[in-house]
Amino acid sequence: MKKTLGDYEYALSLRETDVAHSVPDLSVNITVASVNRIISLETPGFEGAGTKYISSTEAQVTYGAKSLPDMDLRIVFTTDSTSLSGEMLFYETGAQGYLMHVFSPSVEDLGTAALDKEIIFVIDKSGSMRGDKIAQVQRVFAGIVADLPPDDYFNVIFFDRQSVIFSDTLMEANTQTKADAANFVNALGADGGTNINEALLTALGMFEQDSERVPLIVFLTDGEPTDGVTSPYAIRDNVKAANGAEVSIFTIAFGIEDEANYDFLRALSLENCGVAERFYPGNNAETEMNTFYETISTPVITDMDFAYSGSSDIVNTGYNTLFAGSDAIILARYPAGTKNVGSSIDAVTRTGSRSFDKTFPVVPRSDNSFVPKLWAHTKIRELMDRMVVEGETDPIVSEITDLSLEFGFVTPYTSLFVEVPVTDKISEATTEAYEGAWEDAVADEAPVEAVTPVATATSASGGADAPVVAPTPEATSAPRVSEAPDEVSAAAEETATDKKTPGFSALFAIAGLAAVAYLVRRR
């Protein structure tokens, strides 16, 4: 789990969304295990859930009911920060070892304040933003500007077919400039086309390459480019060429439904040290956008580079900048039997360049059996992100497929093969029918005996950003709520994309059931 704004949060979907779905006896038991000491644990707004501390690093949440609740179960907990050089977990299987390094020093541990930043807000005000959209955006960004710390420098650019700039240069965030910028944000209406290329190039031209502040762009749009340069590939090339200051571009895709357009925005951000997140207009939009900004608003360490002696296939679950209240989780592989792993982290803090070096003794533990799957999941996500940028190439597809099959993940290139034993159940049903118990026989559906990921021959539908689906049941330790067997079979049937024609065993099963029904009716 990733730490966000100092908290870890896990959400379990429980709410009843289908009136035909009935759960007469619900039991939930979730164990929370942490590398560091657990400080607090709660289930905000969820009545009836019990919490229990098992040890300093382990806790438990339980819940029971005779029906589904009307809300999902959220678990929020906090822990101590890691030591200055982080904590490391190890697990070995066969000749392969896997490590997980959690690096999350606090500002107090570093002995320095957070880094200053230069930030430009590039906001779409085209015609499609009219009404509630532009009103929500104005409230969000007027508040964000008002809360900028005094050592930051900032600017605001609104754009439609042309760009409207608050200031020709970056401005120091003092009381007067923030008030003027808030008035600028609130005064503009929505109209015209969408010239993304001009707006982003204008913003990038304001950053200086030798600045000691962390450069950021928060870019919000609700549509595709319609004016100026409209090719997404040309825009990406232009932005990348103009980004000499290595500005991180964080994109808010506001109400965007078109997958191809969202792929463009994701690629644009990934190529420029950022991410894109999708938000939808509604009651929670302002809160969600504010939370997204808060997670990237306070950089603590930047330009992080991780190296581990004797290790390979290093993957990072986050950014190369560590923001306040977050953590960096890095995973890698090493040869089993290794005695020690040296960790070296080169980074930049407010006081300048700094190295965090430590040698960890390799102590594999059975409790860490989740680490290989977490490494594989993170590696697959990294490859999927590369695909958004580089396209659907054979080497990337092959690597995703191999990892998915090895570790039991369903991806756009693998599907589920569900094996349902029918022969034994048919004979049981036949016997029960002759005994006058046909109703009980038809109520007993065959359980899912095996769920196995298999490769699919088709390419990913819906674009390269199709998400990595949750691992198969035997491949995860996440809590689950069991469903009735018929619903499990139906869900697996819908998930599988590699459809096959029924074999002879299935035909015999259907014929047997028909014969039983006929005999019962005659009797």
Side-chain angles (χ1 to χ4, degrees), residues 6-68:
D7 294 337
Y8 294 94
E9 180 173 330
Y10 176 80
L12 181 63
S13 297
L14 288 178
R15 76 176 72 188
E16 184 171 358
T17 57
D18 185 353
V19 293
H21 186 93
S22 176
V23 177
D25 189 6
L26 174 66
S27 178
V28 178
N29 191 325
I30 300 174
T31 299
V32 177
S34 170
V35 175
N36 300 296
R37 187 177 57 170
I38 296 175
I39 302 301
S40 65
L41 173 74
E42 58 182 0
T43 56
F46 195 94
E47 295 183 3
T51 59
K52 179 183 179 182
Y53 294 95
I54 300 172
S55 68
S56 61
T57 59
E58 195 169 331
Q60 193 174 54
V61 176
T62 56
Y63 175 74
K66 297 300 182 184
S67 62
L68 288 174

Side-chain angles (χ1 to χ4, degrees), residues 89-155:
L89 304 180
F90 299 92
Y91 184 79
E92 295 180 359
T93 173
Q96 188 65 68
Y98 297 84
L99 66 85
M100 182 179 83
H101 187 195
V102 183
F103 180 66
S104 181
S106 63
V107 172
E108 292 75 20
D109 293 333
L110 294 170
T112 181
L115 291 158
D116 297 329
K117 64 181 182 289
E118 295 176 344
I119 185 166
I120 299 180
F121 305 100
V122 181
I123 305 167
D124 186 345
K125 72 173 194 73
S126 60
S128 57
M129 289 286 293
R130 291 191 192 99
D132 289 341
K133 277 187 179 180
I134 193 66
Q136 287 183 317
V137 167
Q138 286 173 324
R139 287 192 293 269
V140 168
F141 284 93
I144 287 174
V145 168
D147 290 337
L148 288 170
D151 291 329
D152 283 0
Y153 278 68
F154 78 102
N155 207 342

